[in-house]
Amino acid sequence: MARSWLGQWLAGTVLVCSATVWAQQDAGSAAPVKVSPIKFKPTVSRVSTYGTLAPKTEELSFKVGGRIAAFLVEEGAEVTAGDLLARLETKDAEDALNRQRVELEQAQRAYQRMETLHQKGSIQRSQLEDAQATLEQVQIAYDQAELQLDRCYLRAPSAGLILKEFLDSRTTVPAGQSIFSFQSHSEEWVTKVDLTDRNAFALGEGASAVISFAPYPGVKFEGELTKLARVANPGDALYTAEVTIATADYPLRPGMVAEVDLYQTSEQSYTTIPFDALINLRGTEGTVFVPTNDNKVSSRKVTIQAIQGPMVAIKEDLRTDKQVVTRGQGKLVEGANIRIVE
């Protein structure tokens, strides 16, 4: 019994001493790590999808509300750019423009008088500047009234075909209500693609597109995402997007399958680091280690904004840290000593 107790005591003492020695070695030694520079730049989202080619059509509407005074074309009509298609009643808009014209003429005469007086030294420079500011404000109001009247006229945006008339009576319409369906004769076609919610929120109208067609191997057509649904389709929960394509003088046919790559560059810049720097990932949240000036490391909680191949953009601004640990961080703890290796 005595020998057994003594043996256990000695073994325990050896284990405790060994653990103490290893702890001292770990605390004092510098862990070898590799680091990469932290960059700060916009993100580029890329989505690859497919669609079917169709002629470009659009729905034409007034930019202001009012009562329709006349329809000037019918379904099936061929029109040229600028042709008048319909107009609203314009009396109110004309009256407003006439009132602004009178005010503008008065402001112009007032400014001319003040300019003459200033040249003679009868008034101060500040009085002339006040008259000029008043003239500029009245000019802006006149331009707005002129634009309001012009918006009472619906014109063809380009040469094309009136496909459908949505209204059959001269009624009062709000701004934006569709009046005609129009197919342009321009060298633009469209394809509609469906996007997941993640891709739909990563992209937006104006995103660049590169399109390929099987009959033209190696040819890249330029395009742009011109419409994006704000609500998902009830059946499949996908968001429909419309991509406008320039033909580049190649003959295209309705129904051709389009291979579409969409690109969106963010307006905001984000901290960008190698994906390998992340540890303890939980969904979009994780941890990175950054070197400090005293050859130690400090941890940072980060949130993923976008993944771009081997790189990842994060929401937190880490520009002041300059570098991030990309190798050897798995066993690091806050404040651990490190040695940067190539």
Side-chain angles (χ1 to χ4, degrees):
M1 291 293 293
R3 180 180 299 177
S4 175
W5 175 85
L6 180 59
Q8 292 176 358
W9 182 83
L10 288 172
T13 302
V14 170
L15 289 173
V16 170
C17 291
S18 298
T20 302
V21 169
W22 280 111
Q24 290 173 347
Q25 288 177 345
D26 287 346
S29 62
V33 298
K34 289 187 177 182
V35 298
S36 291
I38 292 174
K39 299 180 180 180
F40 195 71
K41 58 183 182 180
T43 63
V44 179
S45 301
R46 174 180 174 177
V47 176
S48 296
T49 185
Y50 293 87
T52 303
L53 195 65
K56 183 177 181 178
T57 61
E58 58 183 309
E59 295 182 2
L60 305 181
S61 61
F62 290 101
K63 294 182 179 180
V64 295
R67 181 175 178 79
I68 296 178
F71 294 102
L72 302 173
V73 294
E74 297 179 349
E75 289 184 4
E78 291 278 353
V79 297
T80 59
D83 281 356
L84 190 58
L85 309 180
R87 64 178 178 86
L88 301 175
E89 293 181 352
T90 59
K91 185 178 184 306
D92 290 344
E94 289 173 348
D95 290 343
L97 181 60
N98 289 331
R99 289 194 297 270
Q100 290 299 328
R101 181 180 292 109
V102 172
E103 291 189 21
L104 179 60
E105 291 171 353
Q106 291 174 344
Q108 288 172 336
R109 288 194 295 269
Y111 176 75
Q112 290 170 357
R113 287 196 301 270
M114 298 298 282
E115 190 174 34
T116 300
L117 291 173
H118 179 262
Q119 291 173 352
K120 294 179 178 179
S122 301
I123 62 170
Q124 297 180 353
R125 178 69 184 177
S126 60
Q127 292 175 281
L128 177 62
E129 291 174 349
D130 289 343
Q132 183 178 6
T134 299
L135 175 59
E136 290 173 352
Q137 292 174 357
V138 174
Q139 180 68 59
I140 292 173
Y142 176 82
D143 293 342
Q144 288 294 322
E146 195 172 44
L147 178 62
Q148 195 76 354
L149 176 60
D150 183 68
R151 286 175 173 172
C152 292
Y153 298 91
L154 182 61
R155 295 182 172 86
S158 63
L161 177 67
I162 302 296
L163 298 177
K164 183 178 180 180
E165 181 181 322
F166 292 104
L167 302 176
D168 57 5
S169 63
R170 293 185 297 176
T171 183
T172 300
V173 295
Q177 179 171 333
S178 298
I179 308 299
F180 296 107
S181 176
F182 174 75
Q183 178 180 319
S184 174
H185 291 339
S186 67
E187 294 299 311
E188 291 183 338
W189 291 64
V190 296
T191 182
K192 290 185 178 180
V193 298
D194 291 324
L195 304 175
T196 63
D197 53 359
R198 178 178 179 179
N199 291 335
F201 280 90
L203 300 170
E205 293 181 2
S208 299
V210 177
I211 304 96
S212 302
F213 297 100
Y216 302 113
V219 178
K220 301 298 183 181
F221 294 79
E222 295 183 355
E224 181 181 343
L225 195 158
T226 47
K227 288 184 181 179
L228 178 60
R230 298 180 181 273
V231 180
N233 301 322
D236 53 18
L238 297 176
Y239 292 77
T240 300
E242 183 178 279
V243 178
T244 299
I245 306 167
T247 65
D249 295 329
Y250 284 86
L252 300 178
R253 299 289 183 269
M256 291 175 64
V257 175
E259 183 178 345
V260 182
D261 290 323
L262 294 167
Y263 300 87
Q264 181 82 62
T265 302
S266 66
E267 296 181 359
Q268 179 181 348
S269 293
Y270 293 92
T271 300
T272 304
I273 60 176
F275 189 88
D276 291 343
L278 292 165
I279 60 173
N280 302 328
L281 269 176
R282 297 291 186 273
T284 60
E285 297 181 349
T287 303
V288 298
F289 281 98
V290 297
T292 59
N293 293 331
D294 52 357
N295 295 322
K296 297 181 182 294
V297 289
S298 180
S299 63
R300 301 282 187 268
K301 298 292 184 182
V302 297
T303 307
I304 295 175
Q305 171 67 24
I307 298 175
Q308 305 175 85
M311 306 299 288
V312 58
I314 59 177
K315 295 181 180 180
E316 291 74 16
D317 188 345
L318 303 185
R319 280 179 293 179
T320 57
D321 290 314
K322 300 186 185 309
Q323 292 179 319
V324 63
V325 178
T326 55
R327 289 289 185 275
Q329 72 272 39
K331 297 182 179 180
L332 295 179
V333 296
E334 180 71 24
N337 296 319
I338 61 167
R339 175 171 52 88
I340 298 174
V341 297
E342 297 296 331

